[in-house]
């Protein structure tokens, strides 16, 4: 990915409910995504649609990601899907440590194991971190630092080129209140902080693939977040379920200098 190319990731979560709808949504995004030179689009559907969508289209301007992956490649693990299976199916990216999975009991240790296994299998990891709340004393910074340091324990510096950190303050995810997304100033502060934590941990010259923002990102705030928030891309939930809205996000990102 060139330096200024933005990465925009659609996290469909547990939507839509049929292959027909998933294909329709995907095709609606694909037409726009495949035209945009300055954006790498990644669509992360539920597991059951991965094969269908991989066979539908796989090109350098749109890629398929999974929403999770287990830490083992094969064996007696009922219900799990392994990183090797994903890689062998043509999947290129995987979201690890989303706050909705952490809420189901995943901790930094599990996320670390999943991250290591995914990297080893040749997937690009989108590692999610984010605080539940903020305070005046800045407790969010120590919280994010702990998530990063523990989730990336034992990862080689050279593997960072295949890891995106998605900063997703939990309170801003699908936020219906007036404040919606976090302010671009605060996003900028956090992207700088994340890069500093990574530099302290891995040394000067560390090359993380990108630091992304997620949390009520949509067509109206994309430009502000990418330009003033200094984010390398976006992880988009709700607005990725509407092809028109998502395509406006892609087009806006494509026009950022
Ligand atoms: C998410 O859950 O990763 C997310 C960013 O959701 P939304 O865009 O709906 O806030």
């Amino acid at each position: 990915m060139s330096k200024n190319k933005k990465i925009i990731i659609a996290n469909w979560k547990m939507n839509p409910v049929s292959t027909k709808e998933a294909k329709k949504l995907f095709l609606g995004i694909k037409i726009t995504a495949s035209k945009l030179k300055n954006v790498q689009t990644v669509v992360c559907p539920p597991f059951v649609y991965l094969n269908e969508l991989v066979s539908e289209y796989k090109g350098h301007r749109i890629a398929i990601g999974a929403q999770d992956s287990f830490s083992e490649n094969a064996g007696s693990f009922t219900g799990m899907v392994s990183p090797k299976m994903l890689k062998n199916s043509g999947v290129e990216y995987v979201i690890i440590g989303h706050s909705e999975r952490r809420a189901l009991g995943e901790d930094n240790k599990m996320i670390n194991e999943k991250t290591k296994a995914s990297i080893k299998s040749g997937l690009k990891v989108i590692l999610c971190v984010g605080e539940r709340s903020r305070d005046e004393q800045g407790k969010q910074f120590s919280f994010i630092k702990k998530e990063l340091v523990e989730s990336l324990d034992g990862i080689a510096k050279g593997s960072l080129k295949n890891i995106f950190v998605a900063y997703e303050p939990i309170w801003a995810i699908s936020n219906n209140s007036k404040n919606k997304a976090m302010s671009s100033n605060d996003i900028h502060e956090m992207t700088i902080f994340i890069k500093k934590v990574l530099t302290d941990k891995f040394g000067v010259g560390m090359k993380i693939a990108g630091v992304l923002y997620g949390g009520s990102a949509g067509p109206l705030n994309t430009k502000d977040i990418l330009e003033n928030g200094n984010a390398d891309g976006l992880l988009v939930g709700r607005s990725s379920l509407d092809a028109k809205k998502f395509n406006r996000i892609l087009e806006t990102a494509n026009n950022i200098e």
Side-chain angles (χ1 to χ4, degrees):
M1 221 164 72
S2 77
K3 198 173 175 299
N4 294 323
K5 196 163 180 166
K6 301 294 180 193
I7 179 162
I8 307 292
I9 302 166
N11 177 13
W12 287 358
K13 309 191 182 188
M14 203 171 70
N15 303 289
V17 295
S18 72
T19 307
K20 196 173 161 206
E21 288 167 273
K23 267 176 89 170
K24 186 166 175 241
L25 178 56
F26 185 72
L27 293 179
I29 293 170
K30 181 187 104 170
I31 298 165
T32 298
S34 56
K35 286 188 218 140
L36 306 178
K37 288 199 181 99
N38 302 324
V39 174
Q40 172 64 62
T41 303
V42 182
V43 173
C44 302
F47 286 127
V48 283
Y49 307 136
L50 286 172
N51 269 329
E52 184 78 26
L53 298 189
V54 164
S55 68
E56 195 60 54
Y57 187 78
K58 190 169 161 277
H60 65 282
R61 287 184 193 150
I62 188 163
I64 302 294
Q67 296 173 17
D68 184 35
S69 171
F70 194 49
S71 50
E72 301 290 333
N73 273 323
S76 304
F77 302 103
T78 303
M80 298 302 185
V81 173
S82 84
K84 200 164 232 155
M85 289 172 186
L86 294 172
K87 183 71 185 169
N88 289 341
S89 301
V91 170
E92 293 178 62
Y93 291 78
V94 61
I95 298 172
I96 301 284
H98 192 278
S99 59
E100 287 155 14
R101 296 208 57 87
R102 291 179 189 263
L104 294 173
E106 280 190 21
D107 58 17
N108 290 335
K109 188 170 179 297
M110 291 162 79
I111 289 161
N112 174 248
E113 283 162 7
K114 289 180 172 195
T115 300
K116 284 198 270 201
S118 297
I119 289 292
K120 208 168 167 193
S121 291
L123 295 169
K124 292 189 175 71
V125 169
I126 301 144
L127 171 67
C128 299
V129 296
E131 77 278 1
R132 212 159 286 121
S133 61
R134 311 195 121 209
D135 69 10
E136 300 272 297
Q137 283 69 46
K139 69 171 180 188
Q140 60 274 13
F141 292 106
S142 51
F143 186 85
I144 297 299
K145 181 175 178 181
K146 188 171 184 321
E147 283 196 328
L148 285 171
V149 169
E150 292 183 4
S151 305
L152 294 171
D153 184 45
I155 299 274
K157 186 176 179 177
S159 298
L160 294 180
K161 64 178 184 300
N162 291 319
I163 300 179
F164 294 84
V165 172
Y167 169 60
E168 297 208 300
I170 297 171
W171 52 269
I173 291 179
S174 293
N175 191 351
N176 289 316
S177 77
K178 263 195 190 159
N179 291 331
K180 296 252 170 200
M182 192 172 176
S183 78
S184 50
N185 267 352
D186 287 345
I187 294 171
H188 196 169
E189 181 182 48
M190 194 52 97
T191 56
I192 291 171
F193 178 75
I194 288 170
K195 284 177 187 156
K196 183 185 178 310
V197 170
L198 297 177
T199 302
D200 289 348
K201 180 166 168 55
F202 293 97
V204 179
M206 75 81 201
K207 285 197 173 59
I208 191 79
V211 178
L212 320 179
Y213 170 79
S216 298
L220 300 181
N221 56 21
T222 292
K223 187 169 157 55
D224 183 36
I225 296 171
L226 295 179
E227 277 184 352
N228 304 322
N230 206 28
D232 298 310
L234 299 171
L235 181 52
V236 185
R238 194 168 36 181
S239 292
S240 72
L241 293 172
D242 176 329
K244 270 198 191 140
K245 271 193 193 167
F246 192 67
N247 288 341
R248 276 172 58 207
I249 294 175
L250 296 178
E251 283 163 346
T252 304
N254 190 58
N255 291 331
I256 305 260
E257 295 293 306

